[in-house]
Amino acid sequence: MPDPGLSDTLPTDSPTDTDTAQELSCCGKPAGRPRAADMEARMENLLHTAGCLFLEKGYGKVSLEMIAREAHVAVRTIYVKFGGKSGLFNAVVEQRRAAYFSTMPALETDMRPLATILGEFGLLFVQLVTMPAAIRLNRMVVAEAATHPELAETFYKVGPGQTREMLTRFFSRPDIAPLFRAELTASVMALHLLNCLLGDQMSRLLFPPPAQPDVAQLRLKVAAGLDLFLRGTLRQPPAAG
């Protein structure tokens, strides 16, 4: 049962954006709307603080009051900006995922060779999912999904769901789809690629390594996963090396 006081609906006396701007202004500064840079920095701090608390204590044990106190903002600021705890968690996951993939060209328009595109994506993806924080996040979601279904829904929508949709669009491209077996749908190939890259997901979550593998180890893992994927999906599988 959700904690009392953590309803994802706005309070009756919902504050306005002006109220939020006033709460985000720094103590000792002249009254008025804070600079955009100040507000952005405080929002960044709020998301960082919330992410740390979720990982440290678990989603169910973290209240909005706790987050607000640690981030030095008002609870109603969180309601205005994110709608509640579920929305804040959504923003935390979305921000971290977007930041990690920001260096990768958009799959929908990347015209490099197929192996290059998938190799770069694969390395970024495997680096992300093997990070200790990412493993802890996955374990938390699995452990608390039954009591907090909104947590699992939010996590999937802004995390794994976005990745699958991105790959599905890529495999649907007019220049990419003909390279693969006609009976395989784009969504099936997206899921198969992720499974080939992930490997033994259960062991990854139950017995995480004490440290993230180095880049050389991850490159070998990605190469093996891509070879398995391409041999099973291309119209003309690559020749044995």
Side-chain angles (χ1 to χ4, degrees):
M1 181 178 295
D3 295 338
L6 294 183
S7 169
D8 285 340
T9 58
L10 284 171
T12 305
D13 55 341
S14 300
T16 64
D17 286 336
T18 301
D19 295 329
T20 303
Q22 291 172 348
E23 288 165 6
L24 293 177
S25 60
C26 298
C27 296
K29 286 190 175 182
R33 186 177 298 274
R35 293 179 303 174
D38 293 336
M39 292 188 67
E40 182 178 354
R42 286 181 176 266
M43 285 297 102
E44 289 282 340
N45 179 62
L46 173 58
L47 293 176
H48 174 75
T49 300
C52 291
L53 287 172
F54 286 139
L55 288 179
E56 178 186 350
K57 301 180 181 298
Y59 181 83
K61 294 182 179 180
V62 174
S63 68
L64 290 185
E65 289 77 10
M66 184 186 302
I67 296 171
R69 184 171 58 251
E70 292 290 330
H72 305 291
V73 300
V75 172
R76 64 178 184 170
T77 297
I78 301 176
Y79 278 116
V80 167
K81 290 297 183 182
F82 305 105
K85 189 164 71 165
S86 177
L88 179 58
F89 179 79
N90 180 317
V92 169
V93 176
E94 192 166 30
Q95 180 203 47
R96 295 191 177 189
R97 180 189 181 280
Y100 205 81
F101 284 106
S102 63
T103 59
M104 186 179 70
L107 292 183
E108 291 88 345
T109 56
D110 194 340
M111 302 307 295
R112 294 177 297 170
L114 176 67
T116 302
I117 297 174
L118 294 183
E120 182 175 299
F121 165 80
L123 183 59
L124 280 173
F125 175 74
V126 172
Q127 284 178 317
L128 176 61
V129 299
T130 56
M131 292 175 64
I135 294 175
R136 288 164 58 195
L137 178 63
N138 276 267
R139 296 172 76 178
M140 181 191 75
V141 171
V142 171
E144 301 194 34
T147 53
H148 298 282
E150 77 281 2
L151 171 66
E153 181 180 350
T154 294
F155 175 73
Y156 179 81
K157 180 176 67 175
V158 301
Q162 279 198 26
T163 302
R164 289 189 187 186
E165 290 175 5
M166 178 176 68
L167 288 173
T168 299
R169 292 193 298 270
F170 171 73
F171 288 122
S172 299
R173 277 174 40 176
D175 59 324
I176 296 296
L179 301 176
F180 294 91
R181 290 162 44 193
E183 70 272 19
L184 299 176
T185 65
S187 59
V188 165
M189 288 194 293
L191 179 58
H192 184 44
L193 173 60
L194 294 176
N195 285 333
C196 288
L197 292 172
L198 284 170
D200 188 352
Q201 300 183 54
M202 185 63 69
S203 294
R204 181 175 62 89
L205 296 179
L206 289 178
F207 312 107
Q212 186 177 17
D214 61 34
V215 175
Q217 292 173 313
L218 292 179
R219 287 189 186 280
L220 291 175
K221 175 181 175 62
V222 169
L226 286 181
D227 183 68
L228 178 65
F229 169 76
L230 294 174
R231 289 184 185 280
T233 58
L234 286 175
R235 289 180 182 270
Q236 296 182 341

